[in-house]
Amino acid sequence: MDVMGDKATLFETGRFVQPSDEEATPDQTLDEHDESRDENRDETGEAVEEARQRLAAEAGDVEAMSVLGAMLLRRGDLDGAEPHLRAATAAGDRAAANNLGVLLHQRGYADEAAGWWRVAAVAGSAAAAHALGRHHRERGDEPAAEYWLRQSAEQGHVLGAYALADLLEHRGDRGAERWMRAAAERGHREAAYRLARALDRQGERVADGDKSVADNGVSSSAEAEQWYRQAAARGHRRAALHLGAILEKRGDLKEAGRWYLTSAKDGEPRAACALGFLLRDAGDTENAAVWWLRAAQDGNGNAANALGALYAERGQTQTAERWYRAAMDAGDDNGAYNLGLLCAEQGRIAQAEQWYRRAAYAGHREAANALAILLLQGGDTAGAEPWFSKAAEAGSVDAAFNLGILFAGRGEDAVALRWYERAAAAGHTEAALQVGMARLRDGDELEAERHLRCAAGGGSAEAAYRLAAVLDARRPPAPAHELGESVHEKTECEEWYERAASQGHRRAQVRVGMLAAARGDVVEAARWYREAAEAGSRNGAFNLGLLLAREGSEPEAAVWWTRAADAGHGRAALRLALVYARRGELAEGQRWADRAVSLGPGEVAERAARLRDALREELSA
């Protein structure tokens, strides 16, 4: 029984897996006065500025108290900052009230912090409104959280817009995208990433035919790429990963590699794994292994599987097994499947079955198919069938085809056909061939042609030959060839015959030779007959003999007729009988005539019998 899938290879799940977590958003933010913020100021300048603000604060300057408190709070000097912030807050400074709330929150006094945030928020502090909204959400009070976050967002506070979008998205509110977009447009990298992910999903739904999505998938995907690019440029490692994947799919491998590298250097193991695959495909397996190792050490099962495959190819099976086990420990079921493959290749059938079974029980469909094949090869048909069924129901195309073989072997052709059709619909070449042949037997030529075209297009030589035969039967007979007549253009059926012939299909080779001979191309005919004959075709050998005999090379023709006759070709045996009779080798002629009688067909047997009797009379005379 010819079962598919017994020579399985490394099962890869893809370059990366979608994350389930999101980056944490920043905690509360400080309200600061513009004059206190100078990113380029050195330590000496900061010390001078702090001294200046301290003198002003001691002189009773409320704004200086607030600025000094913010400076100390940013440095982590909570004890030094608190008195200045309290003093400024008491004097009505809203920035100080917000920052005092931040300080108290850091000390663990969340409720007192919320009180000061409320004071600042009522006074118009967008940062305080954001912090207060976050506080209420942590307490589970979503209405209050939404109120304050909306206040913050509507004042243009980027973190407020992002937090509001996050809250609305959690509730499934369609208004989330508006605020996520607002935060992204103001430079919030996580908002840009999440907006890109939402647009990606929208594009996927459109591609799947979801009519509820108004936008089209092309524009969504293009916009998603723009936001991934913006987030990646701001250092978002997962955005860089997704941007790399988009570019790789498009074929922009050089730029994809740059973004994978950026993401991998920032500690994203999936990017390191994807970069490894990119390098491997470019032929740089050494550097691929470096990045796979980095990803595998960070717990990426796919990278561990890739390392296992790399060492298996090098013949280092113990190291390969170690990495497959590491993949399995990382929760990747492909590790167990690949361990099964490794054991099967080494002839360790019991262990292979153990690993296939482990992966199959975890839902690995190809492992279930491989396990069924193993059981079938061991003679356990009853044990194999449920695993084939489980794998097929999970979407394994090979398993569906194998079920077709299993039921066909039992004579349950109708059930077999259903599984063949299922596999064929998923693009399985051999299954499409089987469906095409079944439809031919049923007389449904059009449906047969459709499936044969699929199979032939998928590379099946047998399907190409059968498709050519179907088309050949439809065409009108060609006019007789005349010397000097231009060679006609090849028909579609001839092209399919030639495709099958070029793939080594012996009957197709004979047929192509016959078509060439019919149009007077003796050299081409001889070439195809010879290829078929040397591959073991008795018809090819017989026809080559005929061609050689017509060209005056009867001794060489006899060699090929002998090969054909030894393979059971009755007409070739009759030709040999005639050759030997003409040479006067009557006994040898009689022997081949006897052989032709036994081989047939009827017309040949009848002629051979007459020749045999004549030779016998001649010999006895």
Side-chain angles (χ1 to χ4, degrees):
M1 184 178 293
D2 185 15
V3 182
M4 294 293 292
D6 54 330
K7 295 187 181 295
T9 55
L10 170 70
F11 187 86
E12 295 173 7
T13 55
R15 299 302 171 99
F16 62 90
V17 182
Q18 300 296 346
S20 58
D21 60 318
E22 297 291 350
E23 282 187 358
T25 57
D27 202 354
Q28 292 75 25
T29 53
L30 299 177
D31 251 342
E32 301 179 279
H33 298 269
D34 290 340
E35 59 268 29
S36 72
R37 302 190 68 178
D38 185 353
E39 302 292 347
N40 298 317
R41 185 181 292 127
D42 58 21
E43 293 183 8
T44 303
E46 287 181 2
V48 170
E49 176 63 17
E50 182 180 333
R52 187 176 72 80
Q53 295 293 349
R54 192 177 293 278
L55 287 172
E58 288 172 355
D61 188 323
V62 174
E63 185 175 348
M65 295 176 197
S66 180
V67 171
L68 179 60
M71 292 176 71
L72 295 169
L73 178 58
R74 195 182 321 112
R75 187 189 303 161
D77 184 0
L78 304 188
D79 291 336
E82 186 170 352
H84 295 293
L85 292 175
R86 285 191 180 276
T89 299
D93 189 289
R94 72 180 190 188
N98 174 65
N99 293 340
L100 179 58
V102 173
L103 185 148
L104 292 168
H105 187 272
Q106 291 181 16
R107 288 190 184 279
Y109 303 123
D111 291 336
E112 188 179 353
W116 289 113
W117 282 330
R118 180 180 291 275
V119 169
V122 169
S125 169
H130 164 249
L132 187 58
R134 290 284 303 276
H135 170 79
H136 282 300
R137 187 172 182 191
E138 288 167 4
R139 293 294 188 275
D141 187 354
E142 289 197 1
E146 182 180 350
Y147 174 81
W148 289 111
L149 290 176
R150 196 174 291 277
Q151 293 294 316
S152 174
E154 288 176 349
Q155 291 180 65
H157 193 275
V158 62
L159 294 180
Y162 175 73
L164 177 60
D166 184 67
L167 175 64
L168 295 174
E169 187 175 85
H170 175 72
R171 289 207 313 239
D173 192 315
R174 298 184 68 178
E177 184 180 331
R178 170 198 168 193
W179 292 109
M180 196 69 78
R181 189 179 294 276
E185 287 170 349
R186 291 169 191 158
H188 194 290
R189 70 179 190 181
E190 180 68 14
Y193 170 73
R194 289 180 63 176
L195 178 59
R197 294 292 299 124
L199 290 166
D200 247 354
R201 288 190 290 269
Q202 183 174 302
E204 289 166 7
R205 292 200 303 274
V206 169
D208 291 339
D210 187 347
K211 296 181 180 179
S212 65
V213 182
D215 199 1
N216 67 71
V218 175
S219 62
S220 294
S221 299
E223 188 181 1
E225 181 182 340
Q226 293 173 4
W227 289 114
Y228 280 136
R229 194 175 290 276
Q230 178 171 309
R234 292 178 177 273
H236 195 293
R237 70 187 193 191
R238 289 204 301 278
L241 169 68
H242 282 276
L243 179 58
I246 289 169
L247 292 166
E248 182 184 1
K249 187 176 181 181
R250 187 189 299 155
D252 296 337
L253 302 184
K254 190 172 182 180
E255 189 181 358
R258 287 202 299 270
W259 285 113
Y260 282 149
L261 181 60
T262 298
S263 181
K265 284 182 175 178
D266 285 341
E268 177 54 63
R270 291 166 296 154
C273 180
L275 181 58
F277 281 115
L278 211 58
L279 290 166
R280 181 205 64 182
D281 294 345
D284 188 357
T285 54
E286 293 305 316
N287 279 314
V290 170
W291 287 105
W292 282 333
L293 177 61
R294 183 166 174 173
Q297 288 174 335
D298 286 338
N300 186 281
N302 200 27
N305 270 315
L307 280 172
L310 185 64
Y311 285 110
E313 287 172 5
R314 294 174 178 174
Q316 298 172 255
T317 54
Q318 288 186 333
T319 307
E321 186 169 336
R322 179 166 64 84
W323 282 113
Y324 286 148
R325 287 179 183 273
M328 190 171 58
D329 293 341
D332 192 328
D333 298 328
N334 294 320
Y337 171 64
N338 290 332
L339 273 170
L341 291 176
L342 194 66
C343 292
E345 288 171 2
Q346 296 173 336
R348 295 151 58 193
I349 303 304
Q351 287 175 286
E353 181 180 339
Q354 170 195 342
W355 292 118
Y356 285 149
R357 199 174 289 276
R358 176 167 177 169
Y361 274 120
H364 195 295
R365 66 191 189 191
E366 299 308 326
N369 181 57
L371 174 60
I373 292 169
L374 212 60
L375 294 170
L376 195 61
Q377 290 170 342
D380 186 2
T381 306
E385 184 180 337
W387 285 112
F388 276 139
S389 295
K390 185 173 182 179
E393 293 297 346
S396 170
V397 181
D398 278 349
F401 178 67
N402 291 340
L403 275 173
I405 293 173
L406 201 64
F407 284 108
R410 295 176 184 169
E412 299 179 48
D413 293 339
V415 181
L417 182 57
R418 286 201 297 272
W419 286 110
Y420 285 145
E421 286 177 328
R422 183 164 177 170
H428 195 289
T429 297
E430 292 303 313
L433 170 62
Q434 293 299 323
V435 175
M437 290 166 60
R439 295 304 179 209
L440 278 177
R441 288 193 296 270
D442 295 341
D444 189 348
E445 191 175 288
L446 290 177
E447 191 66 12
E449 181 185 340
R450 183 173 72 84
H451 282 94
L452 290 174
R453 283 187 183 278
C454 290
S460 169
E462 181 66 24
Y465 171 74
R466 289 179 179 271
L467 174 60
V470 168
L471 298 173
D472 203 359
R474 291 181 192 161
R475 65 174 185 164
H481 175 78
E482 295 180 7
L483 290 175
E485 184 182 348
S486 60
V487 178
H488 72 286
E489 291 185 5
K490 291 178 183 177
T491 62
E492 186 187 6
C493 79
E494 288 179 85
E495 290 174 356
W496 284 113
Y497 277 135
E498 286 190 5
R499 182 181 294 195
S502 64
Q503 292 176 258
H505 194 287
R506 293 182 302 182
R507 283 182 295 170
Q509 289 170 339
V510 172
R511 185 61 183 146
V512 172
M514 292 171 66
L515 291 169
R519 62 175 180 264
D521 192 344
V522 177
V523 174
E524 183 75 356
R527 181 174 74 86
W528 285 113
Y529 287 152
R530 192 177 298 277
E531 279 201 36
E534 289 175 348
S537 168
R538 62 187 188 184
N539 285 331
F542 175 71
N543 287 358
L544 180 58
L546 288 177
L547 208 63
L548 291 167
R550 287 170 191 162
E551 296 296 312
S553 301
E554 190 173 84
E556 189 182 353
V559 172
W560 289 107
W561 284 333
T562 301
R563 183 181 290 194
D566 286 340
H569 197 288
R571 292 183 187 278
L574 178 57
R575 288 278 177 174
L576 284 170
L578 290 167
V579 167
Y580 285 111
R582 283 197 297 270
R583 289 179 184 174
E585 300 178 37
L586 303 185
E588 189 67 9
Q590 184 180 347
R591 185 174 74 83
W592 282 112
D594 277 336
R595 177 78 168 146
V597 170
S598 63
L599 291 174
E603 177 191 348
V604 170
E606 185 179 335
R607 290 177 60 195
R610 289 199 300 268
L611 177 60
R612 179 194 59 192
D613 293 343
L615 291 172
R616 184 180 295 133
E617 289 178 10
E618 188 70 21
L619 284 168
S620 62

